[in-house]
Amino acid sequence: CSIIVLAVKVLCVLFPHLPLQYEFLKRPQLGGHPAIVTHTQGSQRLVLDYSPDTPGIRCGMTLQQALSLCGEAEVISADIPRYWTAFNRILDSLEKKSPLVEGAELACAYLGLDGMHLIYRDERAVVDAVKEAIPQGLKAQFGISEGKFLACLLASQSSIGEYRTLNGNISSFLKDLPCDTLPVSEKSKQKLQEFGLRTLEQIANLAVGPLQSQFG
C-alpha cells in the first residue's frame, strides 16, 4: 500500500503507542500494567514503545535507563514484522474509504480528501467512515488540514477517537506546541531540549543559519 497522497486536504490517522496497543490486544492481562516494548540495535536493547503513564521514558533510550525510571514495568520484545503486517491490513481497509492512502510510517496514515465531499456530507462523516475501517480495540486520533505535517500535528493534539481541524491562525496553533511534535529523530529532539528549545514558537523565532549549523 504505497499510493502517494498529493498536496491536497488530507486526513491523518494516528495510532498512539501502536506497538503497545498490539501487545495489549494479544495479551489483555497486561492492560493497566506499565510496559516497555524493546527492540535490539547492535548489542543494546532500546525502547521502541512504552506506556504513556511512565514519566521520563522516551523512545530510543536504553532498556537499562528505562527500568531505572520504572522498574516494575513489564518488558516486551518487539515483533516489528507482525506490527507492520497488521498495520498494512489497516491501510488496505482504509483504501476502501479513500483511493489515496499513504502509510508514512508505522502508526501514521494519511488519506487524501480531494473529492470526498461528493461521497460524505462533511468532515465528521469522513472520520466516522474511517473509524469503521479500524479494527475494534485499536485507539486512534484524527486531524484534517491542508498538508500532511499540519494534519499530523492536529491529530496528535486531538482526543482519542476524535478529530481536530484548524480554525483560525496557523501560527497561533503552532506556537505553544512542544518540540516533541516535530517529525525528527529522538536524538534531535533531545538536542533541542539541551538547547532550551521547548516550543515550536521558539524554533520559528530562530534564524535558519544557526539551526542548520546544529541540525543540518
Side-chain angles (χ1 to χ4, degrees):
C1 187
S2 58
I3 298 174
I4 302 299
V5 176
L6 303 177
V8 295
K9 199 167 190 179
V10 297
L11 165 65
C12 174
V13 185
L14 198 61
F15 298 90
H17 298 280
L18 186 59
L20 196 63
Q21 288 200 60
Y22 282 143
E23 294 297 340
F24 282 169
L25 287 175
K26 180 182 177 182
R27 291 182 279 181
Q29 70 272 18
L30 294 176
H33 188 78
I36 300 169
V37 180
T38 67
H39 67 115
T40 302
Q41 184 172 306
S43 60
Q44 289 188 315
R45 291 183 71 182
L46 304 179
V47 175
L48 176 71
D49 200 4
Y50 57 92
S51 298
D53 56 352
T54 48
I57 296 180
R58 299 171 64 92
C59 293
M61 68 168 37
T62 66
L63 175 60
Q64 184 178 4
Q65 290 172 321
L67 289 177
S68 71
L69 296 170
C70 187
E72 70 274 18
E74 182 84 18
V75 179
I76 304 168
S77 294
D79 188 347
I80 295 177
R82 178 170 66 88
Y83 303 155
W84 270 108
T85 297
F87 185 58
N88 283 328
R89 284 198 293 265
I90 294 175
L91 297 179
D92 291 339
S93 295
L94 292 177
E95 284 186 339
K96 298 175 183 178
K97 306 299 179 180
S98 169
L100 295 174
V101 176
E102 179 183 351
E105 59 187 41
L106 184 66
C108 182
Y110 297 100
L111 284 74
L113 299 186
D114 194 29
M116 300 297 283
H117 64 283
L118 300 175
I119 304 173
Y120 303 102
R121 66 181 183 276
D122 54 25
E123 292 176 345
R124 167 57 67 183
V126 174
V127 173
D128 287 342
V130 168
K131 286 180 181 180
E132 296 173 358
I134 297 173
Q136 187 174 7
L138 282 184
K139 299 175 182 178
Q141 301 161 276
F142 308 88
I144 297 176
S145 182
E146 301 285 346
K148 294 186 291 184
F149 176 63
L150 192 54
C152 184
L153 288 182
L154 287 163
S156 70
Q157 299 300 305
S158 71
S159 301
I160 296 295
E162 295 298 324
Y163 82 97
R164 286 193 66 177
T165 188
L166 192 60
N167 296 312
N169 186 273
I170 293 178
S171 298
S172 297
F173 167 70
L174 293 176
K175 68 183 182 70
D176 294 325
L177 291 183
C179 292
D180 279 353
T181 57
L182 287 173
V184 297
S185 67
E186 290 298 323
K187 183 178 179 180
S188 293
K189 292 178 183 179
Q190 185 62 38
K191 197 171 183 180
L192 288 169
Q193 295 283 335
E194 291 171 358
F195 280 117
L197 298 172
R198 301 285 187 268
T199 67
L200 297 190
E201 182 181 37
Q202 290 176 300
I203 295 177
N205 288 335
L206 294 175
V208 174
L211 278 176
Q212 287 182 330
S213 67
Q214 292 293 335
F215 297 95

